[in-house]
Amino acid sequence: MAKRSLTLAGNYGWKIKLDHQFEQEAIRFRDIRLKQLLTSLKMGIRYGIYITYNRWHSREPFIDLFGNRQVDRIYGVPVGGIGCGTIMRGWNGQFCRWQLRPGWYTYDIVFADQFTVSIRKNGEPSYQQVLSPCRPSSAELGDWYWGYQGSQATYRALYPRAWTVYELPGQNVTLTCRQISPIIPHDYKDSCLPVGCFIWEIDNQSNDEIEVSIMFSFQNGDGSNGDSSGGHQNETFTRFNNKGNSKVSGVLLHHHDSLQPCTFAISAKECDEVENSPPVSVSNSVHFNTKGSGRNISRQLLLHGKLENSSDKKAIQSPISQKGETIGAAVAATATIKPLHKAKMEFALAWDQPEVYFDAKEIKYRRRYTRFFTSNDHRAADLSEYALQNVKKWEKAIDQWQSPILNNESYPDWYKSAIFNELYYVADSGSLWVEMDGSEEDEADVAGHLKEVPGNGKQLQKEYGRFAYLEGHEYLMYNTYDVHFYASFALAQLWPMLELSIQYDFAAAIMHSDPEIRLVMWSGQRKPRKLHGFVPHDIGEPCDEPWKRINAYCISDVQDWTDLNTKFVLQIYRDYCATGNIEFLKDMWECAKHVMETAISQDTDGDGIIDNQGADQTYDVWRMYGASAYCGGIFLAALHIMCKIADLLDHKEDKARYSSILLRGREAFQQKLWNGEYYLYDSSKGSHSDSIMADQMCGHWYLQACGLVNNNEDDIFPKSHVDKALKKVFNYNVMKFKNGTWGAINGMKPNSEIDTSSVQSEEVWTGVTYALAANLIQQGMTEEGFKVAEGMYNTTFNVMGLGFQTPEAYYRVNCYRCTGYMRPLSIWAIEWAYNHVLKSGSKKLKK
């Protein structure tokens, strides 16, 4: 098993040396053109007042465009399951990004959190090294052996696993660390666990017998100020395997917090000789000062090859930390390895933060994993033991999931990296997966509108829980629906019950109203937070109370948006296609009718196409007026799907009504927007109405994905028009921008100049580029589709160095906007295109 995994790592994934330096500078989005500034000046003033007010009251804004955090290009595969928080281990070996408090990130490198190797020959020290090229800038842990040469190690990421191969100079020893988190499709138990495993293989290529120890050290906390607030304590633990041939030993690090306490656990497996691997013993140190020199713990490892406490000792507790003191602990595994032999050592990192609050502190939520692990002070130890017992099973499941893609010769190698590595965002998105088991406490806590979940929704959420993830690491809104529209192809294929849970929440929210009056920043008007019969933009922000106060977004009035309601219709039918769950479709029907009526009411001239009124859709500063290719196309697709659902559910009158509007709208769409080569941006005859929009065939993309396209001239969007429009987009938005190497720019003028009418028109959106690639592939333009997506992947991971924090947008080549974003999960629409469209038709995928 391990051999096969290593083989996969050697062939596929994102690879980088630990001393790599990215040549392209990455600059946070700042300046905009004067004409763009003037267009949004009033909104900018209102937004500035909003930011100032929030900061004065120590409250984080849902979007902070004035933030000054510059990106670190060091991130790798995060540790942890879905909805339980994540801990980032960067590609250079540092633990460096933390998401434990729901919806919030800290970006502290904790230098005490390390793996260290120590080698002894003939009972004498031979080599000791912290396995990271980074070192503290201060005297912190100054007696540790820093300075590993990054050129001697290679990192490879293939989420949810990562491999680091270390060559040890002068030792003739190679170390391979394999990092695994239990991200397993269609698994709704282990996938939610706050754990990660680190499996070390030590290859002794020398002619000497050596004693090797690997130490895993960890600070009690996440590197933030709370680590030195006092009141923290560590204690050792040991768990025995029922078969008696192994045990798990480690240290619990109890992190005191009056509201949301968390216990970390570091551990290693002690075992007899197994699978030609020598016996492994485990020792630990329950306490050291992480801001001190680190001399004692480093000397113990160097001189003795082990730490002060053996796994046979009774549980030991450290002194409770004092204010101003930061404490850590360590666990070490040791084995004696014969010449030309190998050994294996297994470590686990777990954390237990069972009950969490958002910033309003009105509702207490229980994380999903608490369903499977009973409440006790040592639950982190239970999680560690479970992880080390099941990691082999997890790897087998991951291999079974990934192998069909990795072994598909039709797919280019870069895609085999991109498709899995972009999936990091399902877990590392501030995501929260919580229990809804129907207890009295839950019923008392949940917001009123959530009790209105229709049909089978309550039972589904009772069994599978409720799920939310942020729009972005810097755009702090949960389940942003216009963006989820793109990203949802990942959940729909891999964890479809979570996707249905989200849709049930939105169905309940559609029928909910909230009369709270708020300032709308674009218009300066004051409008209700939420009206009945409208799809909300999001289900709330972490600095407030999501699921209770929805629609955190207030830059424009989302009740006026022309894509949210229709995107609900498209998504629920796509989810039906993914699950075959006709009961779900029945439950959604009344809500779909409500939002469709709302959308129809936005057709102001009665021509059968929804009409835009400005900043009223996902491109929320790229203004549209009248009929538009984007919103009009999605509207026609939604009408067609409503006809299909009505047919399935035998609602003949509804079908006849929607069919009549669709017939009228299809004709008007062609007359108003088709210019013989592509669909116009909008029908207003404004300065950018003739812009070539990369996303103009979005409605067709969803229809094709749902199997509702016959590929002829009778389709909602005639095949000849679709082919011409997509070729135009490829030739202009892709190939005329950076020679096709940076994805698809949102807007390109027919004279081959970039549309600079707004910031967003001259941006490349990563998620839209992946969606365009899927659209092209579905249409049989596979070579073009993969070229578009390859440019986006290469730009993000290899040029800009923004892997595992893929931004929403690139602007003017080396500027990025909003790192860590939801929409790039749309790359899974490419996999959907292959499995649901191409396989069902006669089209073949070309390499």
Side-chain angles (χ1 to χ4, degrees):
M1 182 68 213
K3 183 177 180 181
R4 183 184 180 197
S5 298
L6 286 169
T7 300
L8 287 176
N11 292 328
Y12 304 113
W14 178 64
K15 183 178 180 181
I16 190 170
K17 285 285 188 181
L18 268 61
D19 64 345
H20 183 78
Q21 297 291 323
F22 293 99
E23 295 181 5
Q24 176 69 60
E25 188 179 12
I27 302 173
R28 182 185 172 97
F29 170 79
R30 285 290 184 193
D31 59 324
I32 63 174
R33 300 177 190 275
L34 179 60
K35 65 177 181 180
Q36 297 167 355
L37 178 64
L38 293 175
T39 301
S40 55
L41 184 59
K42 291 182 179 180
M43 187 278 288
I45 293 172
R46 297 184 190 107
Y47 175 76
I49 294 172
Y50 161 81
I51 290 288
T52 303
Y53 175 85
N54 277 270
R55 287 181 175 167
W56 179 261
H57 290 85
S58 301
R59 173 187 163 108
E60 292 293 327
F62 67 90
I63 295 177
D64 187 359
L65 296 177
F66 301 147
N68 56 10
R69 191 190 73 82
Q70 185 62 28
V71 71
D72 294 313
R73 298 187 287 180
I74 59 175
Y75 300 128
V77 169
V79 180
I82 299 172
C84 57
T86 52
I87 298 174
M88 170 60 68
R89 186 169 187 246
W91 50 262
N92 59 11
Q94 303 287 16
F95 289 85
C96 52
R97 187 170 77 204
W98 308 76
Q99 199 288 295
L100 298 174
R101 174 186 164 202
W104 302 103
Y105 284 82
T106 57
Y107 299 87
D108 298 293
I109 294 175
V110 183
F111 284 100
D113 298 352
Q114 300 288 349
F115 285 99
T116 301
V117 63
S118 184
I119 299 177
R120 295 162 54 82
K121 295 180 182 179
N122 301 318
E124 296 296 327
S126 173
Y127 180 86
Q128 186 154 307
Q129 184 69 64
V130 177
L131 293 170
S132 170
C134 304
R135 66 169 72 210
S137 58
S138 64
E140 173 186 343
L141 303 176
D143 283 343
W144 286 18
Y145 289 81
W146 303 97
Y148 180 76
Q149 297 178 21
S151 61
Q152 299 293 314
T154 302
Y155 179 87
R156 184 179 292 272
L158 192 68
Y159 186 79
R161 294 182 287 186
W163 292 256
T164 311
V165 179
Y166 302 86
E167 302 293 341
L168 304 184
Q171 302 302 307
N172 214 4
V173 172
T174 300
L175 308 178
T176 301
C177 176
R178 190 167 74 256
Q179 173 187 318
I180 308 108
S181 293
I183 303 294
I184 302 166
H186 306 286
D187 181 301
Y188 297 90
K189 177 188 175 184
D190 290 359
S191 290
C192 73
L193 300 182
V195 298
C197 293
F198 302 90
I199 311 302
W200 288 82
E201 281 198 2
I202 303 99
D203 185 1
N204 179 14
Q205 300 155 354
S206 75
N207 294 318
D208 299 317
E209 181 176 271
I210 58 175
E211 182 185 79
V212 177
S213 299
I214 293 179
M215 178 179 75
F216 184 19
S217 55
F218 206 80
Q219 183 167 297
N220 189 322
D222 61 2
S224 62
N225 292 335
D227 293 7
S228 59
S229 62
H232 311 314
Q233 187 177 36
N234 305 336
E235 66 172 312
T236 63
F237 72 91
T238 298
R239 296 294 172 85
F240 292 88
N241 186 297
N242 291 333
K243 296 180 180 179
N245 61 349
S246 69
K247 57 185 175 182
V248 173
S249 182
V251 183
L252 296 168
L253 299 92
H254 301 295
H255 193 79
H256 172 73
D257 184 291
S258 59
L259 189 65
Q260 300 180 95
C262 179
T263 295
F264 301 92
I266 55 173
S267 61
K269 180 187 284 189
E270 181 169 312
C271 58
D272 300 332
E273 183 174 350
V274 61
E275 296 179 357
N276 297 319
S277 183
V280 176
S281 63
V282 176
S283 57
N284 64 68
S285 178
V286 73
H287 175 274
F288 70 94
N289 180 359
T290 63
K291 300 303 179 185
S293 69
R295 177 178 175 80
N296 288 342
I297 194 171
S298 181
R299 295 289 289 176
Q300 288 168 12
L301 190 67
L302 178 70
L303 297 178
H304 306 292
K306 59 183 180 181
L307 301 177
E308 57 185 322
N309 305 312
S310 72
S311 62
D312 296 326
K313 280 191 174 183
K314 292 183 179 180
I316 303 170
Q317 291 184 333
S318 74
I320 297 174
S321 68
Q322 301 300 307
K323 188 172 183 179
E325 178 188 16
T326 59
I327 62 173
V331 60
T334 303
T336 300
I337 310 173
K338 296 177 181 179
L340 306 178
H341 278 65
K342 297 180 180 181
K344 182 172 73 170
M345 299 175 181
E346 301 177 66
F347 294 82
L349 170 63
W351 56 96
D352 178 30
Q353 191 184 44
E355 296 176 342
V356 292
Y357 294 83
F358 292 108
D359 282 16
K361 302 179 180 65
E362 296 174 16
I363 301 174
K364 178 174 65 178
Y365 292 96
R366 289 178 294 112
R367 294 195 191 266
R368 167 77 172 175
Y369 71 86
T370 61
R371 168 183 286 228
F372 310 109
F373 291 84
T374 57
S375 176
N376 64 75
D377 291 338
H378 292 174
R379 181 160 40 194
D382 298 340
L383 288 161
S384 300
E385 180 186 21
Y386 183 84
L388 290 172
Q389 286 177 346
N390 287 276
V391 64
K392 189 173 182 178
K393 181 187 74 172
W394 294 343
E395 287 217 84
K396 182 178 180 180
I398 292 168
D399 273 340
Q400 289 174 344
W401 160 42
Q402 294 185 339
S403 290
I405 293 175
L406 299 179
N407 295 330
N408 189 331
E409 296 180 358
S410 297
Y411 288 152
D413 286 354
W414 66 263
Y415 174 76
K416 298 172 184 180
S417 169
I419 189 69
F420 294 115
N421 285 331
E422 290 289 13
L423 192 61
Y424 85 96
Y425 196 77
V426 170
D428 193 13
S429 54
S431 62
L432 188 63
W433 190 353
V434 298
E435 279 290 271
M436 289 291 292
D437 61 10
S439 67
E440 290 184 7
E441 185 178 11
D442 280 341
E443 290 293 338
D445 279 346
V446 294
H449 76 275
L450 295 174
K451 296 180 181 180
E452 301 164 15
V453 172
N456 300 293
K458 269 196 175 181
Q459 184 58 39
L460 182 140
Q461 291 186 337
K462 181 178 179 179
E463 183 173 355
Y464 295 102
R466 298 174 61 202
F467 180 73
Y469 63 147
L470 291 175
E471 178 180 336
H473 292 180
E474 300 174 65
Y475 287 13
L476 304 178
M477 295 160 284
Y478 275 111
N479 293 351
T480 301
Y481 203 71
D482 57 302
V483 183
H484 180 68
F485 172 78
Y486 296 85
S488 57
F489 279 89
L491 287 181
Q493 293 174 86
L494 303 176
W495 294 277
M497 294 302 106
L498 293 185
E499 170 64 13
L500 296 192
S501 180
I502 289 175
Q503 300 296 8
Y504 274 112
D505 274 347
F506 272 86
I510 287 167
M511 312 309 288
H512 171 71
S513 62
D514 185 340
E516 178 193 349
I517 301 299
R518 300 185 303 168
L519 176 69
V520 177
M521 295 183 194
W522 261 116
S523 65
Q525 297 177 316
R526 295 187 175 274
K527 294 289 190 71
R529 176 185 282 267
K530 173 68 175 65
L531 297 177
H532 180 274
F534 290 78
V535 174
H537 174 273
D538 56 80
I539 57 105
E541 56 185 316
C543 63
D544 192 8
E545 199 62 71
W547 284 304
K548 183 173 183 180
R549 284 181 289 278
I550 58 180
N551 275 342
Y553 180 94
C554 58
I555 291 177
S556 58
D557 185 3
V558 293
Q559 267 81 222
D560 293 335
W561 277 29
T562 53
D563 64 341
L564 287 170
N565 298 303
T566 48
K567 283 177 175 176
F568 178 80
V569 175
L570 269 60
Q571 285 187 71
I572 64 168
Y573 188 77
R574 190 276 320 278
D575 293 342
Y576 163 72
C577 293
T579 63
N581 188 338
I582 192 68
E583 295 303 318
F584 164 75
L585 211 55
K586 291 177 181 178
D587 290 344
M588 296 293 111
W589 175 243
E590 289 302 321
C591 292
K593 286 177 64 178
H594 270 282
V595 298
M596 203 65 224
E597 289 306 311
T598 299
I600 291 169
S601 72
Q602 294 172 308
D603 172 13
T604 59
D605 57 8
D607 64 351
I609 311 175
I610 203 166
D611 289 298
N612 293 92
Q613 303 293 332
D616 57 2
Q617 28 70 42
T618 195
Y619 299 89
D620 53 356
V621 299
W622 192 11
R623 303 173 81 82
M624 298 177 184
Y625 294 96
S628 67
Y630 182 71
C631 293
I634 294 173
F635 178 73
L636 294 181
L639 284 169
H640 188 43
I641 283 176
M642 289 298 286
C643 293
K644 183 65 177 179
I645 299 175
D647 197 34
L648 284 170
L649 303 183
D650 197 27
H651 295 293
K652 294 183 175 59
E653 291 184 4
D654 292 316
K655 180 182 178 181
R657 180 168 183 268
Y658 295 133
S659 295
S660 175
I661 300 171
L662 176 60
L663 185 63
R664 188 168 69 251
R666 181 182 184 274
E667 182 178 354
F669 190 80
Q670 305 305 323
Q671 289 178 352
K672 290 187 173 184
L673 297 170
W674 180 249
N675 71 353
E677 296 183 63
Y678 63 94
Y679 289 100
L680 298 172
Y681 181 73
D682 67 26
S683 64
S684 69
K685 303 188 185 305
S687 61
H688 62 278
S689 292
D690 62 348
S691 186
I692 305 163
M693 187 187 196
D695 214 2
Q696 63 182 270
M697 297 310 305
C698 187
H700 168 80
W701 166 46
Y702 249 80
L703 287 182
Q704 181 95 309
C706 294
L708 299 178
V709 171
N710 296 316
N711 285 299
N712 58 42
E713 297 306 294
D714 293 328
D715 284 329
I716 304 303
F717 308 97
K719 184 180 186 306
S720 61
H721 291 188
V722 173
D723 288 342
K724 286 182 179 179
L726 288 176
K727 287 177 182 177
K728 189 75 171 182
V729 168
F730 179 77
N731 290 333
Y732 277 67
N733 301 62
V734 179
M735 297 307 297
K736 290 183 182 293
F737 179 69
K738 297 288 289 183
N739 199 30
T741 61
W742 275 69
I745 198 161
N746 282 338
M748 182 72 77
K749 301 289 282 184
N751 63 0
S752 302
E753 293 183 358
I754 294 171
D755 180 353
T756 61
S757 60
S758 78
V759 170
Q760 291 174 344
S761 63
E762 58 176 319
E763 286 182 327
V764 172
W765 283 10
T766 51
V768 168
T769 294
Y770 286 138
L772 171 63
N775 204 348
L776 288 163
I777 290 169
Q778 286 182 171
Q779 201 63 18
M781 303 167 65
T782 56
E783 183 177 345
E784 293 88 342
F786 277 127
K787 180 171 180 59
V788 173
E790 180 181 12
M792 196 75 279
Y793 165 76
N794 186 60
T795 294
T796 297
F797 278 78
N798 299 322
V799 178
M800 296 290 283
L802 298 179
F804 302 100
Q805 53 180 331
T806 304
E808 156 73 322
Y810 294 114
Y811 177 74
R812 298 188 193 173
V813 180
N814 65 340
C815 293
Y816 64 87
R817 180 168 61 81
C818 186
T819 53
Y821 201 71
M822 179 195 293
R823 203 181 325 246
L825 283 172
S826 62
I827 194 172
W828 279 87
I830 296 177
E831 197 59 22
W832 179 284
Y834 180 68
N835 289 316
H836 292 261
V837 180
L838 299 186
K839 278 188 177 180
S840 64
S842 59
K843 299 167 184 171
K844 300 296 182 183
L845 196 63
K846 297 185 296 183
K847 188 171 182 178

